[in-house]
Structure formats: structure tokens, C-alpha cells
Amino acid sequence: MPAFLHAGFPILAVVLLLLSSTVVYCAFPASLTLERAFPASRSVELEALKARDRSRHGRLLQSAAGVVDFPVEGSSDPFTVGLYFTRVKLGSPPKEFYVQIDTGSDILWVTCNGCDGCPKSSGLGITLESFNPDGSSTASVVSCSDEICSSAIQTTEAGCASQSPSSQCNYSFQYGDGSGTAGYYVSDTLFFDTVVGDDVTANSSTSIVFGCSVSQTGDLTKPDRAIDGIFGFGQHDLSVISQLSSRGIAPKVFSHCLKGSDNGGGILVLGEIVEPGIVYTPLVQSQPHYNLNLQSIAVNGQTLSIDPAVFATSSNRGTIIDSGTTLAYLAEEAYDPFVNAITAAVSQSVHSFLSKGNQCFLISNSVDEIFPSVTLNFQGGAALVLRPEDYLLQQGSVNNAILWCIGWQKVQGQGITILGDLVLKDKIFVYDLAGQRIGWANYDCSLAVNVSSTSSGKNEFVNTGQLSVSSAALHADFYYKTILAIIIAGFLSLNFVFKFARL
């Protein structure tokens, strides 16, 4: 706050009034609407959804300059889309690619020219593209002598076919069902939008390293939900968030708010959403994924009888946040108590039965009126409160009743719990990598949010939405009103001492 020496003058009241007036926010155009990937009849079975998730679980089970804003498309509804994706622009001239938003992996990779087994069309209603390093004036192949390749080799995210320093730096990611991608690393220009002022975005760019996929297998070859690649938001050095934050281009924190409605969309920013009500829990240290310490589960406020050791993090146990997973997966020892508690809570109100191993219910009323809330309790007292729509999937209808089934699945023989899009939707999630914590709050993701442009401070923020954005309006507003105050003070010949620091 400016330090006024003559605080007794009436003009100070005018100055303070100017400095405290309301900022007016403006809106950007809405995001695109997706085509349906599956029939509206919801005939896709849970087994098919689980099979698609297995292709992504393989990698889980085996292996501040400003706010950077990415568009979000897609939906958590597995019967329409079943994934969230964004667009990235790469190369010179820039070319746009659709890539899945995946917090369960580290690397950004896109399909490259001549890719073996890569789909040519997509059921998502998008046009697939391929990257051609020879067609970009700024592209260069990363060699094995490059420092970033040596770092990636240490984490098994890169490899070299020969001992020659000039040989290309390769990668190969294999998934649990045999599908995967292989290729080599390329350095080229990434173009992105940075919010810099009220209703203003700047076209920014920087050189990054990403994967050039020349081979895809398994589910990645199928056209029903095909996209151009995967955007890994993990913590390792090769992730885009790590590359940009290490250069001071973006803070070491990112946030998303994924809409759960059929048309989907949402918010994805490199920055910290600072809305009220967000609670935080620490990340488990030295883990390759976003592991949290889940301590207990409560149904209708009653804690389930599950040994806390079931959720303890180890080589084959733990709780992972993964936006690349459609459903949610619960450790085997916790699954039956969870399902039994929900079934018991509604036994007097609905007809329940097993369908292909899944607990299902015929319901005539709203699920919110019948089904219990579920609370996941994490280290530090952070509670993730789930609505029925966060653990149930609508499967169809029988006569005048709606068929709902529990969408959480049992991880056979393992203690891994994976919270996928079924749980993540309709919530703010903040991944504070600098503070090594993750935060969340239930939220309507069609609304705007406040986003901090630093990893540590909350005095500097923009307001962003779908994409309705009001930028760091506080900056422009503050400067304008401060200058106006000085003019008034000078006109009245008052001796003010004004001091401010750039937020």
C-alpha cells in the first residue's frame, strides 16, 4: 500500500476509494463442442472401459513469468468420449496437434511422419495430424550426447541404440496390455498462450524436447478415440511443466478443472488456482507418479474397516492421481468393504444385483436422493468428498428405471488405487510441484477461477475460465489508479511519498 506522509487530508479518502473499486471481467469465446465417440445408447460395457484403462495402467504399474493457458476438450463420460485432451502447436511454421491430458506420465509425444500402426482417422470428430521434423525450420533431433538425453536415460525414459554420441536419443513406452509407442526425441518450438493483461493473451513460444512417435501398438492403433499423442504432466525433467518452469517461463505448478457434463471441456493452466475451499495434502516423496497418502474411506460418515496399511505407498501399493484413466480403481482389500457399504446404504430403496461382476442398481429417483456420500481421507486432514456421480456410472434403462453401476473397479492382486476422471471431474485440482502437495475442491468447472502466476505467492493472479478470461486485471487496475492518485495529489500540491513494488 502506498505510504502517504499526510494521511489526514480528505483527498486520501478519494485515493483509497479509487484503489479499492471493482475490476470488470471480460469473457473469451467458449471451447469447442466434441462429436460423440460412442452411441448414445450407452451400450459399451464396463469390461471395454476397463480394457481401455489397462492400456494406460501399464506405464503406471510398470514403470513464473505468467499463466500459460491451454484449451480443454473431451469428457469424462466413457459413453461419449472418455478422455480429456488439449491442443499444442509445434514447429515452424506451427502445426496443431490434439494430445491427451495425462498426469500419469511425463513425456509429450506426437505421431510423426511414417508412423507404423498409427491410426489415420478418429471417432472423436477431429482430423489427425503427424509431425515432420524435416518440414520444420527449427526442429533438431536430440542426440545421445545431449545432456537431457543422459538425464532421461537415468529414469528409463530414453535409450541409445549405439555408443556413438551422434546417434539419436530414442524412447519406448510399453503398456500393460502390450500396446505402446516408440520413437525418438526432437527439439522444436512450442507455441502457447500466456495471459498478460486484462482481456489480453500474448502469443509466446520456446524450444522444448518432445517425443516423435514412429510406432504405435495395441489400443493406440484403434481409431474410435484416436488422437495425435499424449501430453504428460509428470514431474520428471522431460515433462513440459518441468522444462518451462526450469527456464522461468511458467511457475512450477499446474491446475485443472474438468467438466463432467456430456459436452465436457474445462480449464487447464500452468499456474495455481487459488479459489477458496481448496484443501491440500502432501505428495509422497520420491515416487514416479502423483502418489498421495490415503488413510481411510468413509461412507455416509462411517469409516470402513480397512487396514490403513492397504493404502501405504510401496513398489506395488499406493494411491495415484491420473487424469489419463477413465474410471477409478481401488485396492483389492478395500474394494469389497467399499461396495458392500454402498449397497447396504441403499438396500431398502433400490433393487440391486450383479451384472458381469459389477454391482448395479435399478433406480427411479435421482441418485443424489438415495445414494450416500463417500469421503476419502488423506494425510493432513484433507478430505475428498465424493457425490454418487463420482462413483456410479449410468448404464441404460429398464422400463421406467435407470440402470446405474458402481464405476470403481477392483485391482486384482495389487494394492494400487487409481483416481481417474470419474473422480477428478467437477473439481479443481492443483499440482503444486514446488510445494510438493496436491490440492482440490468441488467446483463448477464452467465458471471462472482465480489463478496465481507464481508458485508461492497469491498476490498476483489472473481470472480464467472456459475460456472466459480476465487476466491480471489487478495489475493494470492498480497501476491506473495509482497514477490517477498521484495526479490528484500533485494538483493539490500535497507531499506524498509513493512506493510500490511490481506484483
Side-chain angles (χ1 to χ4, degrees), residues 325-375:
T325 291
T326 301
L327 303 174
Y329 293 78
L330 196 55
E332 184 174 16
E333 301 94 326
Y335 184 79
D336 287 341
F338 172 74
V339 173
N340 292 340
I342 292 174
T343 305
V346 299
S347 60
Q348 303 300 316
S349 305
V350 302
H351 173 58
S352 61
F353 58 94
L354 289 177
S355 175
K356 299 182 179 179
N358 298 292
Q359 185 65 57
C360 298
F361 312 88
L362 279 176
I363 305 166
S364 300
N365 300 325
S366 167
V367 292
D368 291 324
E369 298 175 359
I370 301 172
F371 280 81
S373 64
V374 171
T375 304

Side-chain angles (χ1 to χ4, degrees), residues 223-261:
D224 58 346
R225 300 189 309 155
I227 48 179
D228 296 319
I230 291 178
F231 196 160
F233 276 85
Q235 302 183 67
H236 286 199
D237 291 344
L238 269 177
S239 70
V240 171
I241 182 68
S242 293
Q243 292 187 59
L244 296 186
S245 63
S246 67
R247 300 171 198 169
I249 296 173
K252 199 169 184 180
V253 55
F254 69 95
S255 311
H256 60 65
C257 193
L258 308 174
K259 288 178 63 180
S261 56

Side-chain angles (χ1 to χ4, degrees), residues 35-97:
E35 298 288 336
R36 287 182 178 271
F38 296 100
S41 63
R42 299 178 175 266
S43 60
V44 179
E45 297 182 356
L46 282 173
E47 282 303 316
L49 304 179
K50 291 160 62 177
R52 289 205 299 268
D53 278 341
R54 280 196 293 270
S55 70
R56 284 170 270 171
H57 290 178
R59 68 173 168 273
L60 289 173
L61 306 181
Q62 297 175 19
S63 68
V67 171
V68 180
D69 189 36
F70 290 99
V72 177
E73 302 175 39
S75 167
S76 63
D77 190 336
F79 305 105
T80 57
V81 181
L83 59 84
Y84 291 92
F85 55 96
T86 186
R87 288 169 276 140
V88 294
K89 292 180 181 179
L90 299 168
S92 301
K95 195 172 183 179
E96 195 168 68
F97 300 89

Side-chain angles (χ1 to χ4, degrees), residues 89-377:
K89 292 180 181 179
L90 299 168
S92 301
K95 195 172 183 179
E96 195 168 68
F97 300 89
Y98 292 94
V99 286
Q100 182 179 1
I101 301 166
D102 185 15
T103 62
S105 64
D106 296 299
I107 310 301
L108 167 63
W109 62 264
V110 296
T111 298
C112 276
N113 276 15
C115 180
D116 182 26
C118 297
K120 305 300 182 184
S121 62
S122 173
L124 297 178
I126 61 177
T127 300
L128 299 181
E129 301 286 352
S130 60
F131 181 78
N132 181 11
D134 294 332
S136 173
S137 62
T138 51
S140 62
V141 176
V142 176
S143 69
C144 288
S145 60
D146 194 292
E147 182 179 349
I148 199 166
C149 182
S150 302
S151 174
I153 289 175
Q154 302 300 317
T155 60
T156 69
E157 291 179 338
C160 291
S162 72
Q163 299 300 315
S164 171
S166 61
S167 62
Q168 67 185 20
C169 186
N170 299 320
Y171 73 85
S172 179
F173 304 137
Q174 297 300 317
Y175 307 144
D177 64 350
S179 65
T181 174
Y184 56 93
Y185 288 110
V186 173
S187 176
D188 206 348
T189 303
L190 168 72
F191 295 86
F192 52 92
D193 292 330
T194 304
V195 182
V196 294
D198 194 11
D199 201 18
V200 176
T201 57
N203 295 322
S204 306
S205 64
T206 189
S207 178
I208 65 163
V209 172
F210 59 94
C212 196
S213 175
V214 297
S215 174
Q216 293 173 25
T217 58
D219 281 353
L220 289 175
T221 67
K222 298 178 180 179
D224 58 346
R225 300 189 309 155
I227 48 179
D228 296 319
I230 291 178
F231 196 160
F233 276 85
Q235 302 183 67
H236 286 199
D237 291 344
L238 269 177
S239 70
V240 171
I241 182 68
S242 293
Q243 292 187 59
L244 296 186
S245 63
S246 67
R247 300 171 198 169
I249 296 173
K252 199 169 184 180
V253 55
F254 69 95
S255 311
H256 60 65
C257 193
L258 308 174
K259 288 178 63 180
S261 56
D262 284 350
N263 62 347
I267 299 165
L268 173 64
V269 290
L270 305 189
E272 178 184 357
I273 295 179
V274 293
E275 291 298 314
I278 296 178
V279 297
Y280 283 89
T281 188
L283 281 166
V284 180
Q285 298 298 300
S286 305
Q287 296 298 314
H289 307 292
Y290 292 119
N291 282 73
L292 303 179
N293 278 314
L294 176 61
Q295 296 179 329
S296 65
I297 300 176
V299 175
N300 254 355
Q302 299 297 312
T303 301
L304 303 182
S305 297
I306 302 172
D307 186 346
V310 168
F311 304 119
T313 301
S314 64
S315 60
N316 64 345
R317 288 188 177 275
T319 301
I320 297 168
I321 302 291
D322 180 22
S323 68
T325 291
T326 301
L327 303 174
Y329 293 78
L330 196 55
E332 184 174 16
E333 301 94 326
Y335 184 79
D336 287 341
F338 172 74
V339 173
N340 292 340
I342 292 174
T343 305
V346 299
S347 60
Q348 303 300 316
S349 305
V350 302
H351 173 58
S352 61
F353 58 94
L354 289 177
S355 175
K356 299 182 179 179
N358 298 292
Q359 185 65 57
C360 298
F361 312 88
L362 279 176
I363 305 166
S364 300
N365 300 325
S366 167
V367 292
D368 291 324
E369 298 175 359
I370 301 172
F371 280 81
S373 64
V374 171
T375 304
L376 307 183
N377 297 302

